[in-house]
């Protein structure tokens, strides 16, 4: 199910809140991309979207939080998908299948914002650090949900998968063609064994 196929908010208040949240997320990546994340105050975003600080903090915890909406959405959906996929065979295949399904569920708006977000992260030490912390939280959550596995080996495998995901993203940028990301991720994961066998 794509974002556009999910049931919409039930009432006017919820729909308005969703529109405000989307406007903040869309404007944030554009504004921060044009002016720089560190050099653009939160008030500039609030003025652009015409919302109060109170409204902003009802939707997001921080300036970093709104800038990384696309990243957080991806991993939130990934965790939901991972819960539902069949856990059989090599666990790396389970992780890969869950991410491929997650990418299928992302809509055009996400595919527009995600590359902008990746460029913001690359240009901002503050966002890069925030992203690393969020990634560590996601990895810990994956390990927690698969608690029956060997803890050390599981953590190591999760690290390998995240590294494969990052390598795929590096290859995906700067063109960012939607259809290419799944193939790049498959190639990245399939290259793990040969990469580990590399000799000095």
């Amino acid at each position: 199910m794509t974002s556009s196929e999910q049931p919409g908010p039930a009432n006017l208040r919820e729909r308005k809140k969703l529109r405000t949240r989307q406007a903040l997320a869309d404007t944030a990546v554009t504004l921060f991309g044009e002016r720089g994340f560190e050099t653009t105050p939160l008030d500039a975003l609030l003025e652009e979207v015409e919302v109060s600080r109170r409204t902003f903090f009802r939707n997001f915890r921080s300036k970093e939080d709104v800038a990384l909406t696309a990243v957080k959405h991806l991993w939130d959906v990934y965790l939901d998908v991972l819960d539902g996929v069949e856990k059989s065979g090599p666990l790396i295949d389970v992780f890969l299948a869950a991410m491929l399904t997650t990418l299928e569920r992302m809509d055009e708006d996400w595919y527009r914002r995600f590359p902008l977000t990746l460029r913001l992260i690359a240009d901002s030490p503050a966002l890069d650090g925030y992203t690393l912390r969020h990634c560590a939280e996601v990895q810990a959550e994956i390990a927690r949900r698969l608690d029956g596995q060997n803890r050390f080996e599981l953590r190591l495998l999760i690290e390998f998968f995240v590294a494969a995901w990052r390598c795929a993203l590096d290859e995906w940028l700067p063109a960012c063609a939607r259809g290419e990301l799944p193939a790049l991720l498959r190639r990245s994961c399939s290259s793990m064994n040969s990469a580990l066998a590399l000799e000095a």
Side-chain angles (χ1 to χ4, degrees), residues 47-72:
E47 184 177 336
E48 192 78 17
V49 185
E50 298 183 335
V51 298
S52 66
R53 278 182 167 265
R54 183 176 179 182
T55 298
F56 175 84
F57 285 110
R58 281 199 202 109
N59 289 278
F60 297 99
R61 291 180 296 178
S62 65
K63 183 180 161 186
E64 290 82 4
D65 197 30
V66 68
L68 296 180
T69 301
V71 171
K72 292 194 166 192

Side-chain angles (χ1 to χ4, degrees), residues 70-194:
V71 171
K72 292 194 166 192
H73 179 58
L74 174 83
W75 289 108
D76 285 346
V77 174
Y78 180 81
L79 289 172
D80 287 342
V81 171
L82 187 63
D83 283 342
V85 297
E86 183 180 349
K87 310 294 193 302
S88 63
L91 202 48
I92 187 62
D93 292 342
V94 174
F95 291 161
L96 174 58
M99 183 56 82
L100 294 175
T101 299
T102 299
L103 292 174
E104 288 175 1
R105 294 188 182 184
M106 298 296 103
D107 61 16
E108 291 298 331
D109 181 60
W110 182 87
Y111 273 98
R112 180 185 58 78
R113 281 191 287 117
F114 188 54
L116 298 175
T117 305
L118 294 178
R119 293 184 185 108
L120 271 182
I121 294 167
D123 292 338
S124 167
L127 273 183
D128 188 47
Y130 191 90
T131 304
L132 289 173
R133 286 194 299 275
H134 177 255
C135 187
E137 291 169 1
V138 170
Q139 289 177 238
E141 181 60 20
I142 293 171
R144 187 191 68 78
R145 294 182 186 207
L146 299 170
D147 198 36
Q149 304 291 327
N150 180 288
R151 297 288 295 192
F152 177 77
E153 291 181 352
L154 176 60
R155 291 200 310 272
L156 189 58
L157 182 61
I158 293 169
E159 289 282 356
F160 280 142
F161 177 71
V162 170
W165 167 247
R166 288 176 177 154
C167 286
L169 291 181
D170 288 343
E171 292 293 313
W172 191 51
L173 290 167
C176 301
R178 174 174 180 165
E180 291 181 3
L181 187 52
L184 289 169
L185 180 58
R186 284 190 187 95
R187 188 181 77 184
S188 186
C189 287
S190 68
S191 299
M192 279 188 193
N193 287 338
S194 56

